[in-house]
Amino acid sequence: MNISSNLSSYRQMHIYYIRRLFKTSLLVLVLSLFNLQLINASELDYKLVAEPVGKGTYVFIGSTKYFSKKNGGNIANAAYVVTNSGVIVIDTGSSYQYGKQMRKYIESTTGLSIIKVFNTHHHPDHFLGNQAFKDVSIASLQGIVNAIDSQGEALNTNLYALVGDWMKETVAYSPTEVVTPGKITIGGHDIEIIALDGHTDSDMAIYDHTTGVLFAGDLIFHDRTPAVANANIQNWLNSIRQLQELDYTYLIAGHGPVTTDQHAMIQTHDYLSWLHETLQSALDKGLDISEALELELPKRFQALDILHEEYKRGVLQLYPSMEQAYFE
Ligand SMILES: [Zn+2]
């Protein structure tokens, strides 16, 4: 063999190995994309299963934690009522994905169409699934519609930063119908729309007189620390006292398990009263925000989920404006 034939066979061998390497890399790439697809598809499944609440009412109970990539933003309760003309949906969850999965579950288990959707307030964990119900009338109070119109997209962007891919393709879709407080009949159910405030500037509770189920939205938290970022605590306490007057059989809170008694109402009222008094007395003592953040939390609230986390978030949101009002 001469030098040139040696070079030629070396070149051929070189090309052969490069081709083999290319084929292997391509195979690895295809397999990993396929794998990624599988992981993403299963990761984006909220695995929604509704719990019955009495006869004909169902609730999807969300996590009692804060937003995370793990829970995909599924931290609130969403519910539905099966009537003889179709299904009424109360709140649509935290993303387009959630709304779609919720709708598929409801339609496949009931065999009925959705005839009405309500939003209890403008927080993203309660309305960002609206997009999956675009062909249905989505109803809410004027104040809630205004809040979604003006803040919805910013809340959507913020949630994307917190939970990531779960928010894919989600846009803030506003309610299409304004309801006023009072009674309406839908599918044979006497539904009372109750306009309140305190958790936000406009909160809607819904009382189904036909079944005795009260949908309290985020005016009531159960075994989960109330979120006070947009709160007016005095107004919120008044709203709870109004809800306590109702003769309900079941209470569906915005977060946490369903109850039949006053426990969740008393718990939410107790925490909010304590928070208000504690922050007022912190101002009286001249504590700054870092000292207010370090205050000891009573033992009786230790059973509330994410107590320390939500307390801190609440102080950071409320204390600066309370300080300003105090000194003015
Ligand atoms: Zn809320």
Side-chain angles (χ1 to χ4, degrees):
M1 257 193 240
N2 60 27
I3 291 175
S4 72
S5 74
N6 259 349
L7 269 178
S8 149
S9 69
Y10 175 77
R11 201 174 293 131
Q12 275 169 4
M13 208 167 72
H14 194 68
I15 291 168
Y16 167 76
Y17 278 115
I18 285 180
R19 276 193 184 146
R20 213 168 79 163
L21 190 69
F22 179 72
K23 277 184 190 164
T24 314
S25 313
L26 200 67
L27 186 70
V28 168
L29 184 72
V30 167
L31 281 175
S32 54
L33 280 177
F34 180 66
N35 200 24
L36 206 67
Q37 189 89 28
L38 287 180
I39 290 167
N40 273 343
S42 63
E43 269 181 358
L44 296 180
D45 183 357
Y46 287 103
K47 298 188 171 61
L48 299 177
V49 178
E51 285 180 20
V53 179
K55 195 169 169 282
T57 301
Y58 297 83
V59 59
F60 298 102
I61 300 282
S63 159
T64 47
K65 305 293 183 201
Y66 192 61
F67 296 114
S68 70
K69 289 197 166 70
K70 194 173 161 212
N71 61 39
N74 176 15
I75 64 163
N77 298 337
Y80 62 97
V81 184
V82 180
T83 78
N84 46 29
S85 327
V87 180
I88 305 166
V89 169
I90 295 116
D91 283 344
T92 58
S94 55
S95 67
Y96 183 34
Q97 290 294 329
Y98 185 103
K100 279 197 286 190
Q101 288 171 30
M102 176 190 190
R103 182 169 188 166
K104 193 174 166 195
Y105 181 96
I106 296 171
E107 288 175 343
S108 64
T109 54
T110 65
L112 296 169
S113 310
I114 289 150
I115 52 169
K116 179 76 81 182
V117 174
F118 288 108
N119 289 146
T120 60
H121 64 300
H122 79 281
H123 281 161
D125 44 336
H126 295 263
F127 88 88
L128 279 174
N130 279 5
Q131 210 178 338
F133 301 92
K134 274 179 163 177
D135 57 329
V136 183
S137 160
I138 304 176
S140 202
L141 296 168
Q142 185 69 63
I144 298 168
V145 178
N146 294 349
I148 293 176
D149 280 345
S150 60
Q151 301 167 49
E153 212 38 68
L155 292 165
N156 182 28
T157 306
N158 185 46
L159 202 51
Y160 201 109
L162 292 168
V163 310
D165 279 355
W166 292 90
M167 303 305 296
K168 260 196 307 205
E169 297 166 30
T170 304
V171 295
Y173 187 78
S174 291
T176 49
E177 182 193 346
V178 173
V179 283
T180 49
K183 278 190 192 170
I184 42 174
T185 304
I186 310 171
H189 283 238
D190 292 326
I191 304 282
E192 188 173 349
I193 302 293
I194 308 167
L196 297 164
D197 69 314
H199 172 64
T200 68
D201 289 345
S202 182
D203 297 293
M204 180 169 74
I206 296 169
Y207 182 42
D208 184 346
H209 285 265
T210 306
T211 58
V213 178
L214 172 60
F215 305 88
D218 278 4
L219 289 166
I220 304 297
F221 281 67
H222 186 203
D223 291 343
R224 199 273 196 195
T225 314
V228 299
N230 304 123
N232 177 318
I233 295 182
Q234 296 291 27
N235 292 8
W236 193 344
L237 292 169
N238 283 333
S239 293
I240 295 173
R241 286 191 281 271
Q242 286 187 57
L243 291 177
Q244 282 179 305
E245 301 287 310
L246 296 169
D247 186 23
Y248 57 84
T249 315
Y250 294 95
L251 165 66
I252 299 180
H255 298 257
V258 177
T259 52
T260 53
D261 56 22
Q262 292 262 329
H263 177 69
M265 297 240 185
I266 295 166
Q267 195 180 57
T268 307
H269 193 281
D270 186 20
Y271 177 80
L272 293 171
S273 313
W274 168 81
L275 182 67
H276 187 71
E277 282 161 26
T278 301
L279 297 184
Q280 283 298 335
S281 97
L283 289 170
D284 289 337
K285 289 176 195 154
L287 302 190
D288 65 21
I289 192 163
S290 59
E291 290 165 317
L293 283 166
E294 293 309 318
L295 291 172
E296 200 176 325
L297 311 184
K299 278 205 172 60
R300 67 183 191 279
F301 297 135
Q302 299 299 327
L304 301 180
D305 217 349
I306 60 167
L307 174 66
H308 295 269
E309 201 181 328
E310 204 63 78
Y311 170 75
K312 288 201 160 77
R313 211 173 359 254
V315 171
L316 290 171
Q317 289 283 343
L318 298 180
Y319 207 66
S321 56
M322 286 177 82
E323 264 181 322
Q324 201 181 348
Y326 189 86
F327 292 114
E328 275 166 12

